[in-house]
Amino acid sequence: MASGIHSASGMATSLSLSVAATKLRNVFPLLRGTHTPTRRSHGSRSTAIVPQCGGKVQREYLHMSDLTGRWDRDACLAIGGAGYTVEAAWSDKEHHTERFNLCAEKSCSPEEVASSLAPALLQHQMREEWLAGILQKVTLTLRFGASASPVRVGMASGAAARPPARPEELEAYLRAFQVCGLCKLARYGGDNDGGYLMCDVDGVAPPYLAAYSYGVDEADVWGWEMSRAIRGVVHQYDCTLEEKPRPCQKPCSSVFHDECLARRLWNTTEVNSRDGLRHFMSYGTLAGHLEANGHGAIADGLLILKLDIEGYEWGVLGSASLGTLKKFRQIVVEFHYPLLELMDAASWAPRIAAMRNVLEAFAVVHVHVNNGCPDGTCIEVTFASRDFFRADWCAWPRRHSLDQPNSATRPDQDVAGLFPWIANLPAPRKALA
């Protein structure tokens, strides 16, 4: 019986790009014993990666492996090998999935095959072709020559294997996304991308004072609609736009700030992906922005927050003080690379820190998959303050009738599919008070 072994990696890129990365099978030659590194115009020579397991060099077995999906079963068995089919998910500017065969020594554990041999096979060829990529997940299926039961294993990046988060750490992280808050949900921000499900703001007491919208475009539909709904100003922040967002029409009120959000104050120049030119960019903190807008000392729960800041959300939410967060009654976040399947310990630490910090005062009320990102690499999570909303029995996230696909040309993705080991975890428990 085939068994699945999974390994995934975080967001650490490892190699320099000298050519545009394309599908691996289109550019990678076969891994054969006669293949030697190719000298590049830079005068640099890639280094062959010779992985080991059980203290033995695995060169002979990797000669039997083939990135095209073909292999010689009899030859692999003749040298005492076990055959695996590997499916690797990796990304550069796009998401790619590769499927290939791998012959490993029978004494190699499934963990070693998934976290060392398979990534090394890919890394070798990435170095040969001067490609940069992030290896996100490796799924390993045993085909012949050994017996194994499914296990969770560590991470593997394009550079090296990394120690895994422990099973209890992964379980704690998954549980952080359980829906434990209760409220009447409404959709704000229009149809498809840019629209979020949040607790209804109509007629609530005390009324909201202002909204904060981080990560906007020329049209900040969420900010405009929220401003009208709460009858208050929306502060819009983005340092990547060539032009300011269009002003909203009364009764909407908006103020645009040419500044981005990070965990600390800093200034930099970066190449803007929109025009390819280098621009000056200024980053401020959440507490600093509240203070600058006269909201630093207001009562708790008078503000509402939306974050879509391309990965900076982990540091922002993990470092914000509880006092700053409690100024908001609701927070909706697009989390980038949440790594809900397997992750390494280094990726786990900032993610669990961010979730635990927010959950000190908030409960999750909704989770949605952004289908415009590949394979669950972006999810939208709505948090509601425990001081203003009921937090009761927790449940695993499920699709809501008001959910819409971010990309209208693709089917919406059921969020339940992002929690692959729910069946193996204990039943949801009562929310913490």
Side-chain angles (χ1 to χ4, degrees):
M1 180 181 295
S3 58
I5 317 298
H6 300 277
S7 173
S9 78
M11 299 175 62
T13 54
S14 61
L15 304 174
S16 299
L17 269 176
S18 64
V19 296
T22 55
K23 295 286 284 181
L24 293 181
R25 64 172 55 94
N26 293 335
V27 297
F28 282 4
L30 304 185
L31 285 186
R32 296 299 186 191
T34 57
H35 182 71
T36 56
T38 303
R39 190 174 295 277
R40 302 295 170 188
S41 58
H42 318 68
S44 176
R45 186 182 181 96
S46 59
T47 303
I49 306 302
V50 184
Q52 299 186 19
C53 68
K56 297 181 180 180
V57 173
Q58 295 298 301
R59 191 192 315 270
E60 181 180 13
Y61 293 93
L62 289 186
H63 291 172
M64 308 306 302
S65 305
D66 190 343
L67 287 174
T68 66
R70 301 184 300 270
W71 60 7
D72 189 331
R73 175 190 175 103
D74 293 336
C76 182
L77 287 171
I79 61 171
Y84 295 87
T85 296
V86 181
E87 186 173 281
W90 69 285
S91 63
D92 41 27
K93 292 182 178 180
E94 298 179 349
H95 184 76
H96 310 283
T97 300
E98 306 303 327
R99 187 179 177 88
F100 59 92
N101 295 324
L102 185 150
C103 180
E105 187 177 0
K106 288 183 180 179
S107 62
C108 295
S109 70
E111 291 91 344
E112 290 174 315
V113 175
S115 64
S116 179
L117 270 65
L121 193 67
L122 292 173
Q123 182 195 2
H124 174 84
Q125 288 306 122
M126 292 181 79
R127 288 178 181 269
E128 288 296 296
E129 301 299 329
W130 286 84
L131 300 178
I134 305 167
L135 182 56
Q136 296 171 340
K137 182 176 68 172
V138 173
T139 302
L140 188 69
T141 303
L142 176 67
R143 293 303 184 191
F144 59 82
S147 60
S149 57
V151 295
R152 302 178 192 173
V153 301
M155 310 298 291
S157 70
R162 299 200 278 178
R166 298 191 303 270
E168 59 269 25
E169 292 174 335
L170 179 62
E171 180 181 336
Y173 179 68
L174 289 174
R175 287 193 180 282
F177 292 93
Q178 286 181 341
V179 174
C180 301
L182 299 174
C183 69
K184 178 186 176 183
L185 293 173
R187 187 175 184 87
Y188 296 96
D191 294 333
N192 305 118
D193 195 39
Y196 303 91
L197 267 60
M198 306 188 74
C199 300
D200 196 343
V201 302
D202 185 42
V204 298
Y208 289 90
L209 178 63
Y212 280 72
S213 180
Y214 287 92
V216 300
D217 212 326
E218 284 75 11
D220 179 24
V221 180
W222 180 89
W224 298 345
E225 188 170 338
M226 189 56 68
S227 173
R228 289 190 290 267
I230 66 174
R231 298 174 177 84
V233 64
V234 54
H235 289 276
Q236 303 162 321
Y237 285 83
D238 202 308
C239 64
T240 68
L241 302 180
E242 296 179 51
E243 298 180 2
K244 294 181 180 180
R246 299 196 305 271
C248 59
Q249 303 299 316
K250 292 183 178 181
C252 168
S253 175
S254 63
V255 178
F256 176 71
H257 306 263
D258 187 14
E259 191 168 78
C260 289
L261 181 64
R263 62 184 300 169
R264 61 180 177 85
L265 291 169
W266 61 297
N267 297 321
T268 186
T269 57
E270 298 179 7
V271 175
N272 192 322
S273 60
R274 298 170 186 267
D275 58 16
L277 301 177
R278 186 168 290 277
H279 294 262
F280 174 82
M281 296 183 180
S282 177
Y283 290 78
T285 66
L286 191 58
H289 291 165
L290 295 189
E291 192 68 33
N293 296 325
H295 296 149
I298 63 173
D300 291 348
L302 296 184
L303 306 176
I304 191 165
L305 171 65
K306 184 267 290 182
L307 293 177
D308 183 4
I309 52 177
E310 308 304 322
Y312 284 89
E313 63 275 1
W314 299 109
V316 168
L317 296 177
S319 61
S321 70
L322 193 60
T324 297
L325 293 177
K326 292 186 74 171
K327 299 301 180 188
F328 300 95
R329 197 178 312 176
Q330 294 188 65
I331 300 173
V332 62
V333 186
E334 179 163 286
F335 285 111
H336 298 79
Y337 292 93
L339 301 178
L340 290 174
E341 294 192 23
L342 288 171
M343 63 170 63
D344 61 288
S347 299
W348 177 84
R351 285 163 175 74
I352 194 66
M355 293 300 292
R356 284 175 172 168
N357 199 34
V358 177
L359 293 177
E360 280 288 319
F362 293 79
V364 175
V365 295
H366 183 63
V367 182
H368 177 253
V369 185
N370 182 342
N371 74 333
C373 299
D375 295 345
T377 51
C378 305
I379 61 171
E380 301 157 352
V381 181
T382 305
F383 301 90
S385 171
R386 295 175 183 270
D387 292 336
F388 293 87
F389 298 94
R390 179 183 172 189
D392 208 329
W393 288 94
C394 301
W396 294 108
R398 290 291 186 270
R399 193 178 188 281
H400 192 278
S401 60
L402 295 178
D403 280 331
Q404 294 184 16
N406 294 66
S407 173
T409 61
R410 306 175 184 173
D412 205 12
Q413 185 175 347
D414 190 343
V415 67
L418 293 185
F419 294 86
W421 298 299
I422 286 178
N424 297 325
L425 296 179
R429 57 194 176 202
K430 199 175 190 302
L432 297 177

